[in-house]
Amino acid sequence: MKPLIEMRGVSKAFGGVHAVEDVDVDLYPGEVVAVLGHNGAGKSTLMKMLAGAYRRDTGTVLVDGNPAELSSPAEAFDLGIETIHQTLALADNLDASANLFLGREIAWRVGPFKIMDSAQMRDHAAKVINQLNPRFTNLNTPCRDLSGGQRQTIAIARAIHFEARVLIMDEPTAALGPHETAMVGELIRELKAKGIGIFLISHDMHDVFDLADRLVVMKNGQVVGSAKKDDVTQDEVLGMIILGKCPPNAEPGPGARVSQ
């Protein structure tokens, strides 16, 4: 199977600080790859380069086997790469359909003017949200009055409606209760079934082992190691994160201390 994303030798420095150094990462269709590490490990910078928010200094990125510059978020959107931020980037005073189309509204022209087609946007929003969560009925409720799980549904629906093939999900279950965490987990499994590739940034080890297929651990801007989830234990992953110690069943990266 051809990877959706191939990042090869990617590096980024801010002044004299190497935030990301010589990183290789792949993502395949229908796969969840967890990107782990302490704050400052480089995982967010790596994902921001994929999202077009930062320009990489060196290295190559292939999307569907084709080189991509990723010089802006708009270019990433056009290539089907969407980011679901921890803050979700929703307008609290707007309802589900308005948030789903925020900045990409459907409008029809009347002379020199454009008028938003609210009915069509509401219809599209209802269909895509119903595919993800049939129990979601609060389409006209301002986002400020929705639960965390419902807000996450809107953010994911926005990406799906605009045909995202790669999702970058930053702490998708942060500050959610058990029921809403389970809801988001089910949404992620549905996205996998649709062939969407997901980079999952999370500090929650339970989420990682519940949802991810593979994991990549970073420390000091470099990859410590990567492994299939089933080939490593939680303790071994913590050792990679804290000590940079790569266990025998993981593939070591440039930042690894290889176990003996």
Side-chain angles (χ1 to χ4, degrees), residues 47-125:
M47 292 295 102
K48 286 179 180 178
M49 286 189 280
L50 180 61
Y54 291 158
R55 297 199 66 167
R56 62 188 181 274
D57 296 333
T58 60
T60 59
V61 177
L62 304 180
V63 180
D64 283 329
N66 301 310
E69 284 298 319
L70 298 174
S71 57
S72 69
E75 183 183 351
F77 294 155
D78 290 342
L79 291 171
I81 302 169
E82 294 263 2
T83 302
I84 299 177
H85 300 279
Q86 184 174 354
T87 59
L88 302 182
L90 299 177
D92 283 342
N93 60 313
L94 300 180
D95 63 14
S97 61
N99 267 288
L100 194 146
F101 286 95
L102 189 62
R104 294 180 274 194
E105 291 82 1
I106 299 174
W108 42 281
R109 184 175 291 278
V110 178
F113 304 104
K114 284 187 176 181
I115 300 177
M116 286 193 298
D117 191 338
S118 299
Q120 187 174 354
M121 289 191 293
R122 190 161 48 247
D123 182 58
H124 283 303

Side-chain angles (χ1 to χ4, degrees), residues 30-220:
E31 181 184 42
V32 177
V33 173
V35 184
L36 308 175
H38 281 309
N39 291 335
K43 58 188 186 297
S44 294
T45 299
L46 179 68
M47 292 295 102
K48 286 179 180 178
M49 286 189 280
L50 180 61
Y54 291 158
R55 297 199 66 167
R56 62 188 181 274
D57 296 333
T58 60
T60 59
V61 177
L62 304 180
V63 180
D64 283 329
N66 301 310
E69 284 298 319
L70 298 174
S71 57
S72 69
E75 183 183 351
F77 294 155
D78 290 342
L79 291 171
I81 302 169
E82 294 263 2
T83 302
I84 299 177
H85 300 279
Q86 184 174 354
T87 59
L88 302 182
L90 299 177
D92 283 342
N93 60 313
L94 300 180
D95 63 14
S97 61
N99 267 288
L100 194 146
F101 286 95
L102 189 62
R104 294 180 274 194
E105 291 82 1
I106 299 174
W108 42 281
R109 184 175 291 278
V110 178
F113 304 104
K114 284 187 176 181
I115 300 177
M116 286 193 298
D117 191 338
S118 299
Q120 187 174 354
M121 289 191 293
R122 190 161 48 247
D123 182 58
H124 283 303
K127 288 179 180 177
V128 68
I129 289 174
N130 184 67
Q131 290 175 4
L132 292 172
N133 181 5
R135 297 181 299 277
F136 190 115
T137 58
N138 303 324
L139 293 173
N140 299 318
T141 302
C143 279
R144 71 166 69 91
D145 298 325
L146 298 177
S147 69
Q150 291 171 324
R151 290 165 60 87
Q152 190 71 252
T153 298
I154 295 172
I156 293 173
R158 181 169 57 193
I160 299 307
H161 180 74
F162 290 101
E163 299 183 345
R165 300 184 61 235
V166 174
L167 289 185
I168 301 167
M169 303 188 74
D170 187 2
E171 300 287 355
T173 62
L176 297 183
H179 175 71
E180 293 179 328
T181 296
M183 179 194 301
V184 172
E186 187 57 36
L187 289 175
I188 290 174
R189 293 183 188 95
E190 291 181 17
L191 298 175
K192 286 180 58 177
K194 295 177 184 291
I196 293 171
I198 299 173
F199 280 117
L200 175 67
I201 303 174
S202 180
H203 288 94
D204 190 320
M205 203 60 65
H206 296 291
D207 277 355
V208 170
F209 274 80
D210 185 37
L211 300 171
D213 301 295
R214 286 191 295 125
L215 52 89
V216 175
V217 177
M218 296 184 66
K219 185 177 177 66
N220 300 325

Side-chain angles (χ1 to χ4, degrees), residues 3-16:
L4 287 172
I5 299 294
E6 299 172 76
M7 305 182 80
R8 296 285 178 265
V10 172
S11 298
K12 178 68 178 179
F14 297 98

Side-chain angles (χ1 to χ4, degrees), residues 215-217 224-228 231-233 236-237 240 245-253 256 258-259:
L215 52 89
V216 175
V217 177
V224 171
S226 59
K228 294 181 179 179
D231 290 343
V232 290
T233 67
E236 287 174 330
V237 174
M240 296 168 77
K245 187 177 180 181
C246 191
N249 289 335
E251 181 179 348
V258 180
S259 299

